Amino acid sequence: MVNLGTTYMGLKLKNPLIVGSSGLTNSVENIIEIEKNGAAAVVLKSLFEEQIIYAAHKTMMQDEVANAYPEADDYIRHYTRENDVSKYLTLIKQAKESVNIPVIASINCISGTEWISFAKYIEEAGADALELNVFVLPSDPEKSIEQNEAVYFDVVKEVLKVVNIPVALKISYYFSSLAQTVTKLSWTGIKGLVLFNRFFSPDIDIENFEIKTSNVFSTPSDLALSLRWIAMMSTHVKCDLAASTGVHSGKAMIKELLAGAQAVQVASVLYKKGFREIGSMIEELTGWMERKNFTSVDQFTGKMSIEEAKNPAAFERVQFMKHFSGIE
Ligand SMILES: Cc1cc2nc3c(=O)[nH]c(=O)nc-3n(C[C@H](O)[C@H](O)[C@H](O)COP(=O)(O)O)c2cc1C
């Protein structure tokens, strides 16, 4: 009998497959289905910092009372935020009542400012952990590397002051010195890093001169990016790693575990194939472990990380060379 259990950010998981934050994790009905199909944990759809702040400001402008009675400002701000958040807190509470797998809340944030107090409510609602989905597109030529990267450290510092549940950070690969930043982030007290988030990509409609989004869902070939960085970072970081982007099969999950991930997060494959794919991926992992005589996941986690692999240069090579590609 193989034991698929693993530990990710201090949470005991029955297997390494987590359903990642997306529209799929935004309802209790789906979360129940996700558990039924065998996933080990679920990350809820992100609560967006901007939405909350926008809603607070909109209400203030619409309400004349806010102008007449300055002290009402705070009340309205508080009320609106509470109202927005209350839906999210209800989702957490209902999910916790309905399933036994860990429920990880998620906040999409771009600053360590007024939204931070929400984190405490999320903990009180019963979330087992909190994933911070932080993304700063370093597109402002006036901003230095330090200014762009400070945001991540500020957010983590402020959130860790208010919650006791484990906190993970989900990031992109847009960093000037990715390896160093990932390593330093892992020292901040977070329990997990999710490598990497994937974003809607811009495209141009050449008939209508409009900007549109393309490739909302990943494909299996998108796996390589997270695979490379999980393999390169897994022995350097002081927290757990979860792989995200391009995990579409049991094989892809096995590769990420071999590279050193404690868990994988999946989204696109479930949009494309449905929740039943969770069971197929877990079956594939089980079958492979039996064939390879592994009885537990930790026997092979990190076996192909850059420190352990027989050909570590393959993870670092970025230029095409015949030796690595086999193509002239
Ligand atoms: C429709 C959709 C909505 C998503 N919403 C969120 C979100 O709210 N918060 C978040 O952190 N990631 C979100 N993601 C990103 C996924 O969690 C995941 O990181 C990304 O899609 C890469 O994984 P995949 O290749 O398995 O899809 C979303 C992805 C999709 C496709």
Side-chain angles (χ1 to χ4, degrees):
M1 272 300 276
V2 297
N3 174 7
L4 300 180
T6 185
T7 306
Y8 168 61
M9 53 191 304
L11 304 172
K12 285 209 177 317
L13 303 186
K14 61 185 177 183
N15 64 59
L17 194 153
I18 299 170
V19 176
S21 178
S22 64
L24 296 173
T25 59
N26 209 15
S27 74
V28 179
E29 296 71 34
N30 275 6
I31 294 167
I32 292 169
E33 279 306 300
I34 285 166
E35 181 182 53
K36 268 191 201 154
N37 281 279
V42 63
V43 187
L44 302 182
K45 172 89 183 139
S46 298
L47 184 67
F48 281 75
E49 173 192 335
E50 300 101 310
Q51 286 176 324
I52 296 157
I53 290 169
Y54 174 76
H57 290 180
K58 206 173 154 199
T59 308
M60 274 173 58
M61 281 166 64
Q62 281 171 356
D63 199 316
E64 287 170 18
V65 179
N67 298 327
Y69 302 97
E71 72 277 14
D73 277 17
D74 278 339
Y75 169 74
I76 289 166
R77 259 177 206 275
H78 189 65
Y79 172 78
T80 312
R81 295 197 316 190
E82 293 272 301
N83 225 15
D84 254 354
V85 142
S86 72
K87 280 191 197 145
Y88 201 71
L89 300 181
T90 305
L91 177 65
I92 297 171
K93 280 184 197 148
Q94 289 179 345
K96 284 300 295 172
E97 282 161 14
S98 312
V99 296
N100 292 315
I101 56 174
V103 173
I104 303 171
S106 167
I107 300 183
N108 174 297
C109 48
I110 47 165
S111 75
T113 56
E114 53 180 316
W115 71 268
I116 297 282
S117 54
F118 295 143
K120 190 75 198 157
Y121 296 125
I122 278 171
E123 177 170 37
E124 285 167 7
D128 294 284
L130 174 61
E131 187 176 282
L132 301 169
N133 161 16
V134 186
F135 179 48
V136 180
L137 187 69
S139 58
D140 182 350
E142 303 289 318
K143 276 199 174 160
S144 67
I145 297 169
E146 288 74 21
Q147 282 172 308
N148 281 326
E149 299 194 352
V151 172
Y152 296 82
F153 292 90
D154 284 353
V155 168
V156 167
K157 193 172 92 189
E158 296 306 321
V159 170
L160 289 179
K161 279 184 197 163
V162 298
V163 297
N164 297 312
I165 49 175
V167 173
L169 189 60
K170 184 178 188 184
I171 57 172
S172 76
Y173 42 84
Y174 286 99
F175 290 95
S176 304
S177 184
L178 183 56
Q180 192 181 72
T181 307
V182 164
T183 308
K184 283 187 180 165
L185 285 170
S186 79
W187 297 341
T188 55
I190 54 171
K191 298 284 185 230
L193 268 163
V194 185
L195 308 182
F196 296 105
N197 206 343
R198 183 169 184 278
F199 304 96
F200 296 142
S201 313
D203 197 1
I204 293 178
D205 176 343
I206 60 169
E207 294 306 324
N208 299 305
F209 303 98
E210 279 173 2
I211 296 181
K212 54 178 197 169
T213 56
S214 68
N215 305 325
V216 173
F217 301 122
S218 68
T219 65
S221 63
D222 291 325
L223 181 78
L225 191 69
S226 66
L227 193 61
R228 164 179 279 144
W229 286 98
I230 296 274
M232 294 204 297
M233 298 314 304
S234 56
T235 53
H236 292 292
V237 291
K238 292 267 176 291
C239 67
D240 291 342
L241 294 180
S244 168
T245 297
V247 181
H248 281 238
S249 63
K251 282 190 190 65
M253 169 159 58
I254 295 163
K255 290 176 193 180
E256 295 282 16
L257 298 172
L258 284 169
Q262 263 73 33
V264 300
Q265 295 192 1
V266 296
S268 292
V269 69
L270 305 182
Y271 274 101
K272 289 180 181 178
K273 297 187 177 169
F275 292 140
R276 289 178 70 142
E277 199 56 21
I278 297 169
S280 309
M281 290 173 71
I282 292 166
E283 252 174 51
E284 202 172 359
L285 170 64
T286 310
W288 177 83
M289 284 174 64
E290 284 167 355
R291 270 195 294 118
K292 297 291 177 190
N293 294 319
F294 290 122
T295 51
S296 69
V297 170
D298 58 9
Q299 287 171 344
F300 64 91
T301 300
K303 195 175 161 59
M304 298 296 292
S305 70
I306 198 157
E307 305 288 331
E308 302 291 328
K310 288 199 184 100
N311 180 14
F315 284 120
E316 288 185 328
R317 282 278 167 201
V318 287
Q319 305 291 344
F320 266 81
M321 277 179 67
K322 184 172 183 287
H323 176 68
F324 290 107
S325 67
I327 300 169
E328 206 62 81

